[in-house]
C-alpha cells in the first residue's frame, strides 16, 4: 500500500518534470515540421545553431536552471537573506539570540550558589570532625569549581550596574581558591590553622551571598551618561590601627592585677530570627525573636577564659559586662540586644564569675541594617581603664 508520503513525493517529481519539459524545449511555430517528421530534429538543430551564431538575434526562450529552481524552493537562505526573513516572520515565529554577558552572569549566580554552600558546609564539618578524606575530596571539588567560574566570569563585559556584583563575585571566588588550595592537600595540623580556614570559608560564603542578594555592592551614581560612568562604593568601616584578627585572644589582667584573662570573638554569622523557651504555667512556651523589617541580626560567639592566678590571693574573675561590647559598622555602632540566657543559639552572653582555668563560650546578638555584611563590621570590648578598648575583625 502506497503511503501518503510516497504520493506527495510522486506528485512533486511529476511537477518538477513537467516544468523542466515545458521550459527546456523551444516552441515550434506553425508551418514548421512536427516532432513526428524524421527531419524535424535536424531542422531544430540547424535553427538552434543559427541563433547561437547570430548575435543580433535574441533568444526569447531562457534555459531552465534546475539548480536555481531547487535552491529557490528547497534550499537554505543565504546570510544576506536573514534580515528579510526576520521582517517576514509571523507572530507565531520567534528568533533566538545568544545570551548577553549579563544573562550569562545571572545564570551562573542562579545555578552555582547551592553547590558552593553545600561544598563549603561539608568542608567546615570535615574540619570540625577532623575527617581528612572528606575534607580533601570536597575541598578539591570546591577549588576546581571556583577556578572554573572565575575564568568564566572574568572576561564577561557586564552592564555598569553589575560592575560591583562582578567584582565581589571574583573576590569571593578568589577567597575559595586560596583556602581550598590549602585544604585539598589535607587537614591542617594546628587548631589556629583550622580556625583560620573556617573563617576564610565563611567569609567567602558571605561575599557570595552578598552578590546573590545584590546588596552592598558598587552602584552607578545617578545622572551619569553612557560615556562617563561614575561608581560609588558603599562606605567602608574605619578600623583602628591596632585591631586584632578574628580568633586572636586579647590577654589582660583584672583590676587587682591578680588574675590573667583572655577574650576573643571566635566567629560571627547573620540571621533573621531565633527562639527561646519561656516558662508558662506548669510548662514552657516557645517564643520567637524576629528582626524588624529592613533589619537583621549579627551573632558574635565569644570565648572568655580565666588563664590563672598570679599572686595566690583572689582566684576568681569577672567577665566584662554586656554593655562593654560594641559592634561597629560604616555609619553606625550597635549595642548588644538583651535576650534570655539560653536561646536557639545556645548560651547568650552575660557577665559571670569564672574560677581559675574556667572558660565560658556564649553569644552576643546585635540588631543591624539588613544590608550590613559581616566583613564590613568589627567588634570592640572595653576592658577597663588599665587596658582601654580592644577591637577585633569578624572575618
Amino acid at each position: 500500500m502506497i503511503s501518503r508520503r510516497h504520493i506527495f513525493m510522486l506528485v512533486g517529481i511529476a511537477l518538477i518534470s513537467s516544468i523542466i519539459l515545458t521550459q527546456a524545449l523551444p516552441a515550434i511555430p506553425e508551418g514548421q515540421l512536427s516532432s513526428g517528421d524524421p527531419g524535424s530534429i535536424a531542422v531544430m538543430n540547424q535553427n538552434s545553431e543559427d541563433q547561437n551564431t547570430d548575435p543580433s538575434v535574441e533568444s526569447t526562450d531562457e534555459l531552465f536552471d534546475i539548480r536555481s529552481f531547487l535552491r529557490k524552493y528547497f534550499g537554505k537562505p543565504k546570510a544576506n537573506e536573514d534580515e528579510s526573513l526576520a521582517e517576514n516572520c509571523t507572530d507565531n515565529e520567534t528568533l533566538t539570540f545568544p545570551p548577553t554577558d549579563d544573562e550569562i552572569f545571572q545564570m551562573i549566580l542562579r545555578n552555582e550558589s547551592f553547590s558552593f554552600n553545600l561544598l563549603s558546609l561539608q568542608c567546615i564539618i570535615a574540619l570540625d570532625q577532623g575527617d581528612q578524606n572528606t575534607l580533601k575530596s570536597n575541598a578539591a571539588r570546591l577549588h576546581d569549581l571556583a577556578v572554573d567560574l572565575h575564568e568564566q566570569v572574568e572576561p564577561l563585559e557586564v552592564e555598569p550596574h553589575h560592575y560591583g556584583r562582578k567584582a565581589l563575585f571574583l573576590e569571593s571566588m578568589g577567597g575559595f581558591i586560596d583556602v581550598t588550595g590549602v585544604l585539598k592537600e589535607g587537614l591542617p595540623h594546628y587548631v589556629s590553622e583550622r580556625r583560620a580556614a573556617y573563617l576564610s570559608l565563611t567569609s567567602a560564603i558571605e561575599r557570595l551571598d552578598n552578590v546573590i542578594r545584590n546588596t552592598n555592592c558598587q552602584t552607578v551614581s545617578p545622572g551619569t551618561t553612557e560615556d562617563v560612568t561614575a561608581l560609588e562604593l558603599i562606605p567602608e568601616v574605619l578600623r583602628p590601627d591596632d585591631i586584632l584578627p578574628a580568633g586572636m585572644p586579647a590577654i589582660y589582667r583584672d583590676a587587682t592585677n591578680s588574675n590573667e584573662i583572655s577574650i576573643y570573638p571566635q566567629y560571627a554569622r547573620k540571621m533573621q530570627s531565633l527562639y527561646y523557651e519561656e516558662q508558662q504555667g506548669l510548662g514552657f512556651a516557645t517564643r520567637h525573636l524576629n528582626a524588624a523589617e529592613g533589619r537583621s541580626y549579627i551573632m558574635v560567639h565569644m570565648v572568655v577564659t580565666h588563664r590563672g592566678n598570679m599572686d595566690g590571693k583572689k582566684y576568681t574573675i569577672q567577665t566584662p559586662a554586656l554593655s562593654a561590647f560594641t559592634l561597629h559598622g560604616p555609619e553606625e555602632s550597635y549595642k548588644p540586644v538583651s535576650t534570655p540566657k539560653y536561646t536557639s543559639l545556645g548560651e547568650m552572653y552575660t557577665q559571670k564569675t569564672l574560677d581559675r582555668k574556667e572558660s565560658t563560650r556564649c553569644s552576643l546578638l546585635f540588631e543591624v541594617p539588613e544590608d550590613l555584611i559581616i566583613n564590613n563590621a568589627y567588634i570592640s570590648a572595653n576592658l577597663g581603664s588599665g587596658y582601654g578598648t580592644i577591637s577585633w575583625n569578624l572575618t
Side-chain angles (χ1 to χ4, degrees), residues 68-126:
S68 299
F69 175 83
L70 294 176
R71 186 184 303 113
K72 177 179 179 181
Y73 290 99
F74 301 102
K76 295 183 180 179
K78 297 179 181 178
N80 57 6
E81 296 174 347
D82 289 344
E83 292 184 3
S84 61
L85 285 177
E87 293 175 356
N88 295 330
C89 279
T90 64
D91 294 338
N92 295 328
E93 296 176 334
T94 58
L95 294 176
T96 58
F97 300 95
T100 65
D101 283 4
D102 285 82
E103 290 171 340
I104 294 173
F105 183 47
Q106 296 280 12
M107 285 188 290
I108 288 174
L109 293 182
R110 286 195 304 269
N111 297 337
E112 303 297 344
S113 59
F114 178 77
S115 298
F116 275 101
N117 287 326
L118 180 60
L119 290 171
S120 298
L121 178 60
Q122 291 173 338
C123 287
I124 289 172
I125 294 174

Side-chain angles (χ1 to χ4, degrees), residues 8 22 57 60 79 119 125-126 145 151 176 185 256 273 302 327 384:
F8 286 151
T22 56
V57 179
T60 57
L119 290 171
I125 294 174
L145 182 59
E151 292 177 350
F176 282 117
E185 301 300 326
T256 62
S273 63
M302 301 295 299
L327 185 73

Side-chain angles (χ1 to χ4, degrees), residues 23 60 66 105 131 162 167 182 188 220 222 241 264 291 303 314 319 332 385 392 395:
Q23 296 196 21
T60 57
I66 182 68
F105 183 47
D131 189 339
H162 280 153
V182 176
V220 179
D241 293 336
Y264 65 92
V303 179
K314 184 181 179 182
T319 61
E332 295 182 62
S385 58
W392 295 268
T395 57

Side-chain angles (χ1 to χ4, degrees), residues 34-246:
S34 66
S35 59
D37 194 307
S40 63
I41 296 177
V43 173
M44 290 173 62
N45 288 338
Q46 181 64 39
N47 291 339
S48 176
E49 291 175 1
D50 293 340
Q51 291 177 358
N52 291 336
T53 57
D54 188 358
S56 64
V57 179
E58 294 183 1
S59 175
T60 57
D61 297 316
E62 296 180 359
L63 293 177
F64 176 72
D65 189 344
I66 182 68
R67 294 182 180 177
S68 299
F69 175 83
L70 294 176
R71 186 184 303 113
K72 177 179 179 181
Y73 290 99
F74 301 102
K76 295 183 180 179
K78 297 179 181 178
N80 57 6
E81 296 174 347
D82 289 344
E83 292 184 3
S84 61
L85 285 177
E87 293 175 356
N88 295 330
C89 279
T90 64
D91 294 338
N92 295 328
E93 296 176 334
T94 58
L95 294 176
T96 58
F97 300 95
T100 65
D101 283 4
D102 285 82
E103 290 171 340
I104 294 173
F105 183 47
Q106 296 280 12
M107 285 188 290
I108 288 174
L109 293 182
R110 286 195 304 269
N111 297 337
E112 303 297 344
S113 59
F114 178 77
S115 298
F116 275 101
N117 287 326
L118 180 60
L119 290 171
S120 298
L121 178 60
Q122 291 173 338
C123 287
I124 289 172
I125 294 174
L127 272 172
D128 181 64
Q129 297 179 351
D131 189 339
Q132 177 90 262
N133 294 332
T134 300
L135 178 64
K136 292 173 67 175
S137 172
N138 288 293
R141 292 170 59 193
L142 187 56
H143 183 271
D144 292 344
L145 182 59
V147 169
D148 180 55
L149 293 186
H150 193 284
E151 292 177 350
Q152 289 186 46
V153 171
E154 189 174 27
L156 295 180
E157 297 181 0
V158 297
E159 295 295 328
H161 63 277
H162 280 153
Y163 285 170
R165 298 186 76 189
K166 177 186 172 183
L168 197 58
F169 180 85
L170 294 177
E171 184 181 342
S172 174
M173 294 302 102
F176 282 117
I177 292 170
D178 290 342
V179 66
T180 54
V182 176
L183 294 181
K184 69 178 184 176
E185 301 300 326
L187 194 68
H189 295 290
Y190 301 102
V191 174
S192 60
E193 293 175 340
R194 298 185 190 184
R195 184 185 300 125
Y198 169 84
L199 293 173
S200 297
L201 279 173
T202 55
S203 177
I205 294 171
E206 183 75 21
R207 290 189 183 95
L208 180 59
D209 180 62
N210 185 39
V211 174
I212 294 168
R213 290 185 292 109
N214 195 23
T215 59
N216 218 34
C217 295
Q218 290 177 326
T219 57
V220 179
S221 299
T224 56
T225 65
E226 293 181 357
D227 297 329
V228 180
T229 302
L231 293 180
E232 182 181 4
L233 282 173
I234 297 296
E236 285 287 332
V237 64
L238 297 177
R239 307 173 194 269
D241 293 336
D242 58 351
I243 193 168
L244 299 175

Side-chain angles (χ1 to χ4, degrees), residues 298 300 325-329 332-334 366 368 372 377-379 394:
I298 289 182
V300 182
F325 297 94
T326 305
L327 185 73
H328 304 269
E332 295 182 62
S333 295
Y334 312 92
F366 300 89
V368 300
L372 177 61
Y378 70 92
I379 192 172
L394 296 177

